[in-house]
Amino acid sequence: MGRRISQLRKNLGYSQEGLAEVASVSAAFLAHLEVGSRQCSLTVLARLAQALEVAPWQLLAEDKASAESPTPPTPAQLVRQIAQDAKDLDEADLQLVSGLVQRLKLGPGPRRRANRQG
């Protein structure tokens, strides 16, 4: 993931400091991510993906071709990827993922319905 972040950052003309500012992380943390010595939370992953103008799954794709593909992964591929990624999460992030999945299983809430209308 770190090499992909670095490559996308450079393609968009960001310095590490510039991307760090846009994604609300420290430049030192971003540098660690890019070399693979740190991992990030789902929240940070989402902020980085937004700043890099890609979907979060594109940062996690295993190779460059799949990251650049406009076709998203299948549900089965997503489940496998989530299970693989979850192995490295701490307890707080695992609880966040679990809560998110439970919330999604309940269907759209008032906030999600409101966002669709406007």
Side-chain angles (χ1 to χ4, degrees):
M1 180 175 82
R3 283 180 289 188
R4 186 158 294 100
I5 290 171
S6 176
Q7 182 179 45
L8 290 167
R9 172 180 62 76
K10 291 172 185 174
N11 289 348
L12 290 173
Y14 278 119
S15 64
Q16 281 185 333
E17 293 79 11
L19 177 59
E21 183 177 333
V22 172
S24 300
V25 298
S26 73
F29 180 73
L30 180 59
H32 283 288
L33 281 177
E34 288 188 0
V35 297
S37 63
R38 297 280 304 267
Q39 295 179 350
C40 66
S41 68
L42 295 172
T43 302
V44 171
L45 177 69
R47 290 195 315 247
L48 285 168
Q50 183 176 15
L52 293 168
E53 302 173 10
V54 297
W57 67 265
Q58 290 174 296
L59 295 179
L60 301 172
E62 293 184 18
D63 59 45
K64 185 178 178 190
S66 62
E68 293 174 352
S69 170
T71 305
T74 66
Q77 289 170 326
L78 284 172
V79 168
R80 282 193 298 275
Q81 184 67 48
I82 291 167
Q84 181 66 34
D85 294 338
K87 291 178 184 177
D88 299 322
L89 296 178
D90 62 22
E91 184 178 346
D93 283 340
L94 283 171
Q95 289 176 355
L96 176 67
V97 170
S98 178
L100 177 62
V101 170
Q102 294 303 313
R103 174 84 171 138
L104 291 171
K105 285 171 55 176
L106 294 174
R111 238 184 340 168
R112 288 176 62 193
R113 279 194 293 271
N115 288 341
R116 288 184 186 161
Q117 295 170 357

